[in-house]
Amino acid sequence: PHLRVIGHAMTGVLRGEYDRLLIVTPPQVGKSTLVAEWGPFWWLANRPRDDIVIASYGLDLALDRSKGVRQRLADYGADYDLVTRPGSEAAHDWELLSGGHLRATGVQGGLSGFSANLLIVDDPHADRAQAESPRMRRAVHDWLSSTASKRLQPDIGVCVCIMTRWHENDF
C-alpha cells in the first residue's frame, strides 16, 4: 500500500502539482527501486527530452540506480521510443536519441555544466553514523542547497528525496 501512495505522489510531481517531494520510510521497503530506478524510466517515457540527476551518499549507489534505469530501457524502452544514443554507454552519464539525459553522482559530487528537470536524491546519508555526524549533515545540506539546487531548471525543475530518517536534524 505504501508504494501506491508513493506512486500517486510521483504522479503529482510529474503533473506539476508540487516541485519538492520527500519520501521517508524504513529501509528495504522498495522506495528506492520504485522512485530511483522505475521513476526515471517512467519520467522519460512521459518527458523524453528531460534531464535527470540521480544522487546518493556514494557514487556506487547512484551508479547502481543508473544501471537499473538502463536495464529498464533495454527491457521496455522500445515500447516508448526510448533509445540510448550510440556511444552513450557510461553508467554515470548517458543520453537518449530524444535528447533526454541522465547523470549519476554521489552527494557532494560535481554537476557543473549539467542541468536537471528532475533531481532524485536517494539516501543522502549512508547510515546512522553518517547522519549523526554534524560535519556530514552540514556537507549534505550544503551540497543540496548550493550545487544540486542550482542545477534545477528554473520554474520546471523538481526534487524528490528518498530516505530513511536517522537523525532529527538530518537532511
Side-chain angles (χ1 to χ4, degrees), residues 96-157:
L96 298 175
L97 286 176
S98 59
H101 194 176
L102 189 138
R103 167 73 60 105
T105 187
V107 169
Q108 301 181 52
L111 289 172
S112 294
F114 192 82
S115 64
N117 301 94
L118 173 63
L119 167 64
I120 297 174
V121 181
D122 177 28
D123 288 328
H125 299 286
D127 52 28
R128 180 179 300 280
Q130 193 180 86
E132 287 181 352
S133 162
R135 183 182 64 77
M136 288 305 296
R137 286 196 313 273
R138 189 170 37 258
V140 168
H141 177 271
D142 289 349
W143 179 84
L144 182 68
S145 64
S146 60
T147 303
S149 65
K150 302 301 184 233
R151 298 294 166 220
L152 289 173
Q153 289 282 344
D155 301 323
I156 59 171

Side-chain angles (χ1 to χ4, degrees), residues 7-130:
H8 288 299
M10 288 293 292
T11 300
V13 170
L14 182 73
R15 289 181 181 157
E17 295 170 12
Y18 35 89
D19 61 4
R20 301 292 184 271
L21 177 62
L22 176 61
I23 300 167
V24 180
T25 71
Q28 301 298 310
V29 298
K31 63 188 176 294
S32 291
T33 301
L34 179 64
V35 177
E37 292 183 19
W38 280 105
F41 173 81
W42 167 77
W43 191 275
L44 290 168
N46 285 279
R47 298 183 179 178
R49 298 176 59 97
D50 276 6
D51 295 323
I52 298 173
V53 171
I54 299 174
S56 186
Y57 64 84
L59 178 58
D60 287 348
L61 183 56
L63 289 174
D64 285 347
R65 300 298 178 223
S66 176
K67 290 174 186 176
V69 178
R70 289 287 295 262
Q71 185 59 55
R72 281 145 183 86
L73 284 172
D75 293 344
Y76 310 106
D79 296 337
Y80 300 92
D81 295 322
L82 298 176
V83 179
T84 307
R85 182 174 302 284
S88 183
E89 280 84 33
H92 75 285
D93 189 15
W94 50 267
E95 189 175 356
L96 298 175
L97 286 176
S98 59
H101 194 176
L102 189 138
R103 167 73 60 105
T105 187
V107 169
Q108 301 181 52
L111 289 172
S112 294
F114 192 82
S115 64
N117 301 94
L118 173 63
L119 167 64
I120 297 174
V121 181
D122 177 28
D123 288 328
H125 299 286
D127 52 28
R128 180 179 300 280
Q130 193 180 86

